[in-house]
Amino acid sequence: MGMDFRRSQLLTQILEKETGRRKPRGLAHAVCLAVPLIWAFWQLWVTSPLPFAFSFGVFNDTAARSLHLAFALFLAFAGFPLFRGGPSERIPWYDWLLALAAAFCAGYLFLFQDQLAERAGRPEPLDIVVACAGMVLLLEATRRVMGLPMTIVGIVVIVYAFAGPYAPDLIAHKGATLSRGASQFWITSEGVFGVPLGVSTSFVFVYVLFGAMLEGAGAGRYLTTLAFALLGHFRGGPAKAAVVASGLHGLISGSSIANVLTCGPVTIMLMKKVGFSAEKAGAVEVAAGSNGQIMPPVMGAAAFLMVEYINISYADLIRHALVPALLAYASLLYIVHLEACKLGMEGLPRNSSLRLQFLGWGISIAFLILFVGALYYLTAWIPLLLGSLAWALLLPLLICIYLGLLYLSTRFPELPEEGDEALMRLPRVLPVLCSGLHFLAPILTLIWCLLVLEMSPGLAAFYACMLLSFILLTQWPLLALMRGEPVKPALIKGCARFFSSYIAGARNMVGIGLATASAGIVVGSVSLTGIGQVLTGVVEILSMGSLPLLLILTAVFCLILGMGLPTTANYIIVSTLLAPVIFSLTSAQGLVTPLVAIHLFCLYFGVMADATPPVALAAFAASGISGGDPLKTGVQGFLYEMRTAILPFVFLFSPEILLINIESPLHLIWVITTAALACMAFASVTQRYMLTRNRLWETLFLVCVTIALFRPELVRDRFFPPYETLPAGEVVRTIETLAPGEIMRLKIASDNGGSVKERYIALPVRAGTAKERLAFAGLTVDMQDTALPVTNIDIDSHAEKIGLRSSEEHRILGIEAAREQPPKFLFSLPGLLLLAMVFFSQKRRKAREDRFKTEKSTVFL
């Protein structure tokens, strides 16, 4: 009883931290409902095309960000008490005062935007007072909503910005005046009101609202039940269903903790029922929930920030991020299978024959293909035929499809509620699939608008939210009408769910809004203090010139900086501080790495902090449900997450896994197949099990398989070097033979006060002469001197970003020219051979073990 009570308390605390602790009564309750509802409607208005269509209510970026943060700060002080034991049924007078003051400070840029624009760079005393008060109130609101980690980061960054002259020499800088700091952090768009808060305003809110509306409509329960129906009869079926359900929730969710709390109450209970320990059941949910943050299209809202930071299209980002995310989930499914095999588990009992199961799967897949295909051709051809009048046909057609899908759902039983005993029995695939097909319409609409119509992420989410609003208001009344039930209670239920979903979406945004605003402090400090260059030097010194050690150190920094922070905030901080470091140091060592790979590297390790002790917020959430030890759950979850941790190292060196430099469909199949086999081989290493328990030589072979399949070029480059170094006399001729878009790899000697260091650097090439191409990369070279000295390095150029300093003397010693190499796939074949050897060895041993168990059982009987 005591354990159940403590577990209930912990779960309640987690839920309160996610959605708001206070539940006031009376007028305060009405205000705490009205403000988030107004916020949600305002955000949809700002995101929609309506302000421009009616030339009314148009907000510029600064005004929108200002009001966005004003709403978040007001709800933070109104919804979260000063201390944990504060009043929960009323809002004290001082919190009302703080909420209004914080909203005024945030709205100051909106209220006085014209005056601030006239005196840009010359803040008045009132501006400085408002900025200082706003920073203090922002940090206090962040402490209340998100705890101490993010607040401490903000305070340290601010102190560092002003105390730079007194810092140790390695990290010292000239410091900032109060006027300069206030302007940087609050008045301009370089700090709190910078890109992170802008992305939160423009994109993130509508996606969080979309997720809350889907959950309110019942789509979360539908996705979880569908995952059970598909996978429940396999070994460890509930655990596999938890993985798939979390992956499906990750499509729309912005929080790993939200994933755990949404799927966990059902999945963890069923995992324990089939034999998983409390810690392992919680760890599976932690790993699955955390991985939801790397699953496109939302990616914990980091996707929208990444698009802004690296300047690529949203569709390209999804294409790059999809395969690693699917590999992470596939390998987690494999880990769950290995755990089930080790424990001798069986799946839930089938409720139909295997033939009927396959028939149901076949019909379901065929129906989905026909359904999506019909939508594709209708939405593609009707606009071509009817032009601007297409909406007059498409809108009634979509309504008819919606009504048809609703009618189809009435032919099957309603889905069981969460925790219902009906989930102890395996649901049938076809009835579950057909009972909620209408939930797929807004998801498909979102993906269609993003990838096919190539709308902006915000506009695509707006149309998806409008469709989902229509579903929320109409699905229950229409279902009641079709079933012959009373319509009035269903209509009331629909309206209640509609408003509660909007309120829940806005409340869920409070933490994200504050996180992006607080992370803006870090972004502003980087440009104010130059800490990025300092970190580059520190990491370079610690890594001692070793690229693998450099990346491991960076990964550790990502884990440390990400502890205790939500996905959006940890990505902003980690990418701001460490992405330039990775780019600079890898380029300085001659490694050509796409920016998207570097930013995904930062995102992956930032997300892993949710499953990494001692903070491990997702592990605490899962243990609150499972009743297990939070620390043990976190450690086990981290062990499961190790198979995700190797993926960032892979796509830094082999970007094919990000679908970069894919030459043909056959090449794509080969890349995905070998990467999947490598993930499973590594999972077998960490679990020490494949078909049976690994022997030492089998584990060593599987390590070799992982390396050979992930990075076959390691062996190839040793026997067939990819480049040959040409002397300085060949530099000009070789540079001019390179095609625009290629990379020139120069051997540079840098003299820093008598200490000469030689290294290879990678620089981009564009059209022009050799001198013009070098100038484009930031190098001015004296071509008349045979020693090819570098006479100047441009500020903020590619050459400066990778670590070349004007204070040093540089000269070009030579250039690397590409050589012909055998195809890379040939060097993956030994890995496949080793994998086959381990497989057949364990297969024979497993057969002997099974015969021995059978004989022993027979003798015993």
Side-chain angles (χ1 to χ4, degrees), residues 242-243 246-247 256 259-260 279-294 328-329 332-333 335-336 607-608 610-611 618-619 622 633-634 636-644:
V243 173
S246 292
S256 54
N259 282 352
V260 171
E279 285 76 18
K280 286 191 175 182
V284 169
E285 188 59 58
V286 167
S290 298
N291 280 7
Q293 307 312 286
I294 61 174
Y329 271 105
L332 182 57
L333 280 173
I335 286 176
V336 167
V607 166
M608 282 191 66
D610 278 343
T633 301
Q636 188 65 53
F638 179 76
L639 293 176
Y640 289 156
E641 283 286 70
M642 285 178 64
R643 97 274 173 220
T644 302

Side-chain angles (χ1 to χ4, degrees), residues 196-233:
L197 188 65
V199 172
S200 175
T201 306
S202 303
F203 307 138
V204 177
F205 190 102
V206 281
Y207 280 84
V208 171
L209 179 62
F210 179 71
M213 293 167 71
L214 271 177
E215 191 63 36
R221 182 160 49 96
Y222 170 70
L223 295 174
T224 303
T225 310
L226 182 60
F228 275 106
L230 291 170
L231 298 170
H233 60 278

Side-chain angles (χ1 to χ4, degrees), residues 49-61:
L50 298 178
F52 300 97
F54 294 105
S55 299
F56 169 76
V58 178
F59 295 85
N60 61 36
D61 289 343

Side-chain angles (χ1 to χ4, degrees), residues 233 350-361 428:
H233 60 278
R350 299 177 187 269
N351 52 19
S352 60
S353 67
L354 185 61
R355 183 178 63 83
L356 289 178
Q357 289 275 341
F358 277 114
L359 181 62
W361 275 63
R428 293 174 59 191

Side-chain angles (χ1 to χ4, degrees), residues 28 33 45 67 72 86 126 138 154 163 173 279 357 385 398 420 436 500 546 627 732 756 806 852-853:
L33 292 180
W45 173 263
L67 292 176
L126 178 61
L138 172 62
H173 63 92
E279 285 76 18
Q357 289 275 341
L385 295 174
L398 290 175
D420 196 316
S500 65
S546 169
V732 173
V756 179
S806 299
F852 176 74
K853 289 179 182 178

